[in-house]
Amino acid sequence: MRAVVMEEFGEPEVLRIRHVEDPVPGPGQVLVAVAYASITFVETQVRSGNGPFGRPVLPRIPGNGVGGRIVAVGPDVDPALMGTVVVTTTGGEGGYAELALARAQDVVPVPAGLELTDAVALLADGRTALLLYRQARIQPSERVLVEAAGGGVGSLLVQLAAAADAHVIGAAGGVGKAGLVTSLGAAAYVDYSRPDWLDRVAEATGGAGLDLVFDGVGGRIGTEAIAALREGGRVSIYGMASGADAELDEGALRARSIGVIGLTAAPNPAQTRALIVDALNLAAGGKLRPVIGQTFPLEMAAAAHRAIESRTTTGKTLLIPADHARG
């Protein structure tokens, strides 16, 4: 099969197409003919050697989320799974390929009426957004700032918060994402590449301050957004797309009674699966719409990573390993 193999850390060009042996499912495993592979921002960090969990062993095939049809099962796996169209995690690697192994317990059948592309886009981002949303306990009319509002997780948080009758302010870099963000339900859009972006936030809240910030960017943006919270507000911290954490002065946060959420332990496998199922069902019911901004063929994985790192992408970015795998 064809796969993207990473043999060293570095720039996107370290992602090279290779012909490798087809994987064979062992006990408890299934083999998926990959129609679409998810790309996450964290994977670009891992490729560069600056991932949040240290450097993995090389060589490796990147990719932690795929969607496609089950074409083989391990010796102890229910053969009735053969032919099922599913989305699944791969356990951390192996997704940028025409065929990928997964644990049978991790596969989630795609609900009727939901496009496979949408299901793959929701595999990681949907479960993350839904978990953050539930942790935040948004109340009607709360003033909620969503950073990276044009991205995979951010675009979903905008929709979930708007559906909870919050006053949503979507924030991202550049004016080109304004139309997308407001179409998802944001009452206002601010461009945080502008030096006066906090003034625009203040205008959007009528000077009352923010009740909640979803901080997936960190660094200067996250720090400034937290400063815009009203006394008694709260921040959900879940990422550092800027490459640095937001500055948290615990004394200052206590003085302003700012609550920090979103830093709880990661959900266990059963909870993760339940979040994925819920996200897929919401999408199948028309209550959640993933934004798929761009797709790339497998051999252009490097270009896909470069586009994500350039901050020019919107929504989710997907790889398409092989035409014959779709469906």
Side-chain angles (χ1 to χ4, degrees):
M1 69 170 184
R2 294 185 313 141
V4 173
V5 179
M6 180 177 151
E7 297 161 330
E8 59 186 315
F9 299 100
E11 297 299 316
E13 286 72 25
V14 302
L15 301 177
R16 301 180 178 96
I17 201 78
R18 296 282 190 261
H19 288 273
V20 300
E21 292 292 326
D22 290 358
V24 177
Q29 292 183 316
V30 300
L31 184 66
V32 178
V34 181
Y36 302 98
S38 168
I39 303 178
T40 66
F41 182 78
V42 170
E43 288 168 1
T44 70
Q45 294 176 310
V46 171
R47 186 218 71 238
S48 70
N50 298 309
F53 312 114
R55 292 189 170 195
V57 176
L58 301 181
R60 72 195 299 264
I61 299 170
N64 188 41
V66 300
R69 192 178 299 277
I70 295 176
V71 293
V73 299
D76 59 346
V77 176
D78 185 354
L81 284 174
M82 286 286 292
T84 306
V85 177
V86 300
V87 291
T88 182
T89 177
T90 62
E93 62 181 304
Y96 295 7
E98 292 178 320
L99 298 167
L101 292 173
R103 297 190 305 175
Q105 68 191 59
D106 290 334
V107 303
V108 178
V110 176
L114 183 63
E115 294 291 337
L116 182 55
T117 49
D118 289 346
V120 176
L122 288 166
L123 177 62
D125 292 348
R127 69 175 183 249
T128 299
L130 201 54
L131 176 62
L132 295 170
Y133 165 74
R134 289 173 175 174
Q135 288 176 334
R137 301 181 182 275
I138 296 171
Q139 300 301 308
S141 300
E142 283 196 312
R143 299 171 295 275
V144 178
L145 178 75
V146 179
E147 298 171 5
V153 174
S155 62
L156 298 174
L157 285 172
V158 168
Q159 295 175 64
L160 291 167
D165 294 324
H167 181 82
V168 182
I169 303 162
V175 297
K177 298 174 184 178
L180 168 65
V181 173
T182 55
S183 75
L184 297 174
Y189 174 82
V190 295
D191 174 5
Y192 50 48
S193 66
R194 293 180 49 168
D196 64 345
W197 80 278
L198 288 180
D199 293 335
R200 306 287 81 76
V201 171
E203 290 176 3
T205 64
L210 297 166
D211 295 291
L212 171 65
V213 168
F214 284 109
D215 175 32
V217 176
R220 175 185 62 83
I221 299 300
T223 302
E224 292 178 349
I226 293 169
L229 284 164
R230 65 165 177 81
E231 185 171 335
R234 58 205 192 279
V235 56
S236 174
I237 298 176
Y238 67 94
M240 44 178 282
S242 66
D245 292 319
E247 294 180 11
L248 297 179
D249 183 327
E250 294 185 6
L253 293 177
R254 283 195 299 270
R256 297 171 57 213
S257 300
I258 301 298
V260 180
I261 55 178
L263 297 177
T264 58
N268 61 40
Q271 293 169 328
T272 296
R273 179 186 172 85
L275 286 165
I276 295 169
V277 170
D278 287 351
L280 297 187
N281 286 335
L282 283 172
K287 297 180 179 179
L288 196 61
R289 176 171 68 89
V291 175
I292 301 171
Q294 46 284 311
T295 61
F296 292 83
L298 188 67
E299 59 270 18
M300 292 184 65
H305 272 225
R306 193 177 300 108
I308 291 173
E309 290 177 323
S310 72
R311 304 294 201 276
T312 60
T313 59
T314 56
K316 193 66 181 175
T317 302
L318 300 179
L319 279 182
I320 306 177
D323 289 339
H324 67 77
R326 290 202 295 272

